[in-house]
Amino acid sequence: MRLHHHTAISLTISGILYIIFRSWGLAAANLIAGIFIDLDHFFDYLYGHGRPFRTKDFFRVCNNCQFDKIFLFLHGWEWVALLGMAAWLTEWNPWVAGTFIGIGQHIFLGSVYNGSGFKSYFLSWRWKKDFVFDTIFHGLTDCKYKYRNDLLTGPNTD
């Protein structure tokens, strides 16, 4: 999913959480976690494409799935389980519970939207697959290779 999709969904869920629970902390933590979990994409971009960092290139690479390896160390069902336990142990502290909901909804929606299934969002499974993008996110390889073919067969501007 793209940034504007995650932002819109996180805003909507945050609004619903606020209406139901009247907690700014719960709503804010959900919004922040639901969007800023994607900061791990910066690491993957720098790992695969190096420096210097260029915002335009970053979004081009991410939107067109131009990764050979992808780590996404914040995108893991393992974190959702740990945050769920932490929320329970803190008696549903609004900030912990909001972070749990925000990261959980982000990963759930990503696993549905990306067509690669829930296992793709287990850190342990990605590690077992050596973080190879084409193996992990097989549902996105059409996007990746269509973009590469378009680059190769596009009009010559010389």
Side-chain angles (χ1 to χ4, degrees):
M1 292 182 76
R2 295 191 177 188
L3 178 60
H4 63 276
H5 296 131
H6 281 301
T7 301
I9 292 167
S10 292
L11 276 168
T12 302
I13 292 173
S14 292
I16 292 167
L17 288 172
Y18 181 76
I19 289 168
I20 293 171
F21 296 104
R22 297 284 186 225
S23 171
W24 285 109
L26 180 69
N30 175 77
L31 180 64
I32 292 166
I35 297 169
F36 288 97
I37 183 179
D38 278 338
L39 288 174
D40 58 4
H41 288 288
F42 288 105
F43 172 79
D44 290 327
Y45 171 82
L46 291 173
Y47 177 84
H49 300 276
R51 297 174 57 113
F53 178 82
R54 292 186 183 95
T55 304
K56 184 178 178 180
D57 288 341
F58 170 75
F59 282 103
R60 177 188 52 77
V61 165
C62 290
N63 290 337
N64 294 293
C65 308
Q66 298 301 294
F67 297 101
D68 293 323
K69 289 201 175 215
I70 194 157
F71 301 95
L72 297 176
F73 59 88
L74 295 177
H75 288 69
W77 288 115
E78 294 90 343
W79 298 123
V80 176
L82 287 172
L83 283 165
M85 287 190 297
W88 180 67
L89 290 171
T90 61
E91 297 180 6
W92 301 98
N93 172 288
W95 289 95
V96 179
T99 302
F100 164 62
I101 295 167
I103 289 178
Q105 57 95 0
H106 183 104
I107 293 173
F108 172 78
L109 292 170
S111 66
V112 170
Y113 176 82
N114 292 332
S116 296
F118 290 93
K119 67 182 178 242
S120 296
Y121 285 90
F122 278 98
L123 286 167
S124 53
W125 188 80
R126 290 196 306 268
W127 185 7
K128 182 180 173 184
K129 299 297 181 181
D130 198 30
F131 302 101
V132 175
F133 181 89
D134 290 1
T135 303
I136 297 166
F137 292 107
H138 52 82
L140 296 175
T141 55
D142 287 348
C143 168
K144 177 181 181 177
Y145 292 106
K146 180 186 180 315
Y147 177 78
R148 286 187 181 174
N149 287 339
D150 289 348
L151 285 178
L152 295 172
T153 61
N156 188 348
T157 58
D158 289 337

